[in-house]
Amino acid sequence: MAVFEPIDEKDVTRAIVGSFLKQFDEYAESDVIIVGGGPSGLMAGKILAENGIKTLIVERNNYIGGGFWIGGYLMNKVTLRAPAQEVLDELEIPHEEAKPGLFVADGPHACSKLIAAACDAGVKFANMTIFEDVVLREGNRVAGVVINWTPIASLPREITCVDPVAIESKMVMDATGHDACVVSKLEERGIAETVGFGAMWVERSEELILEHTGEFMPGLVVTGMSVSTTYGLPRMGPTFGSMLLSGKKAAEVVISKLPEMSAAK
Ligand code: 48F
C-alpha cells in the first residue's frame, strides 16, 4: 500500500496560495489577455503561447471550453466543415466524415484536447474571474482589463461591495462569444458600436467571421462569435470550424501588431 508524505493542512494551503500569488503577480503584466476561454480564445492562446508570448485567459466560469463541450440541443457532438478538420488532425482529435466536407467529433474529446494543447503551450488561466471593464490609454488604446471574482460580481451590492482590480497587457482579445463583452463595454462608453449577431446562415457565416476577425480598435482584437455580434454577421449554430480558424487568425494579427503595441506608452 502507498504511504503518503507527512504533509499537513497548512502546507497544502501555503502551496496553493504561494503558487497562485506567484502567477497572479507575474501575469498582472501580460503580453496578451484573452477574455473568454471558448474554442476561439483557446485556439488563439495556444498559438500565442507557442510563439513565446505571455498569454493569460480570463474566464468567468470555473470550467474552460465555453460552448465547445456540447454541440447543439444538448447533444455532445460537435461539427466542423472542411477545411477546419485540419485542426482536428493537428490536435489528434478523432473524427468521422458525416458527408463529404462535414466532420463530427465528440465534444468532450475535442474540447479537452484543445484545453490540454493550450495548457501545454504555456497559456495561464484566471478562472472564476469576470471581465468588468477595459484599461484605456491615449487614442483609446486598450491596454488591459478590469476584473473581479465571478461570485462577487453576481452578489447584490447591498451584500457586498468589492472593488475590482486591473491587469495590464500589450493587447487584449475579445473571445467572449455571443456577448462580445469587451466591445459591448466600449459601446456602453460611446467609443464603439456593436450590431448584434444575425440570423442563422451556416453557408455564409463562417467565411464572414474569418474575414472580419482582426483588430477592432488599437490594442483590441475580436475573435469567434464576438466577431459576429460586433459586425452583425449571421450565426452558424453548432459548427465550430470558424471558431478555431478565427482563433488562429486572431493570434496571427496579434503577433503582427505586438511590436507596435509594445512600443506604445
Ligand atoms: O461562447 P464561447 O464558446 O465563444 P466562442 O469561442 O465560440 C462560440 C461557440 O461556442 C458557439 C457558436 C459557434 O460555434 O455559436 O457558441 O466564440 O466561449 C466564450 C467564453 O467566454 C466566457 C464564457 O464563459 C465562455 O467560456 N465569457 C463570456 N463573458 C465573459 C467571459 C466575461 N465577461 N468575463 C469572462 N469570461
Side-chain angles (χ1 to χ4, degrees), residues 36 38-40 59-61 66-67 131 175 177 181 225 236-237 239-240 243:
S40 62
E59 169 55 57
R60 70 181 168 192
N61 290 336
F131 163 88
C181 290
M225 279 313 285
M236 85 283 298
T239 182
F240 290 84
M243 298 298 103

Side-chain angles (χ1 to χ4, degrees), residues 34-42 57-71 79 126 128-132 146-148 150 174-182 206 209 223-227 235-244 246:
I34 299 175
V35 186
S40 62
L42 284 166
I57 294 188
V58 168
E59 169 55 57
R60 70 181 168 192
N61 290 336
N62 67 344
Y63 67 92
I64 308 293
F68 203 33
W69 290 105
I70 294 242
T79 61
M128 288 302 273
T129 300
I130 195 158
F131 163 88
E132 266 200 14
V146 179
I147 52 169
N148 215 333
T150 302
D174 188 339
T176 59
H178 290 283
D179 295 342
C181 290
V182 184
E206 299 210 272
I209 289 214
T223 183
M225 279 313 285
S226 71
V227 176
R235 65 196 298 180
M236 85 283 298
T239 182
F240 290 84
S242 58
M243 298 298 103
L244 302 176
S246 168

Side-chain angles (χ1 to χ4, degrees), residues 197-205 233-239:
F197 61 88
M200 182 96 72
W201 191 357
V202 174
E203 287 273 327
R204 291 215 59 202
S205 56
L233 311 177
R235 65 196 298 180
M236 85 283 298
T239 182

Side-chain angles (χ1 to χ4, degrees), residues 8 24 32 39 72 75-76 93 125 127 182 197 201 208 216 224 228 235 264:
D8 63 20
F24 203 71
V32 181
M75 294 179 285
N76 63 359
I93 297 166
F125 297 90
N127 49 338
V182 184
F197 61 88
W201 191 357
L208 284 170
F216 177 68
S228 158
R235 65 196 298 180

Side-chain angles (χ1 to χ4, degrees), residues 128-144:
M128 288 302 273
T129 300
I130 195 158
F131 163 88
E132 266 200 14
D133 208 339
V134 288
V135 174
L136 271 192
R137 301 287 190 239
E138 286 82 17
N140 286 335
R141 179 173 59 85
V142 178

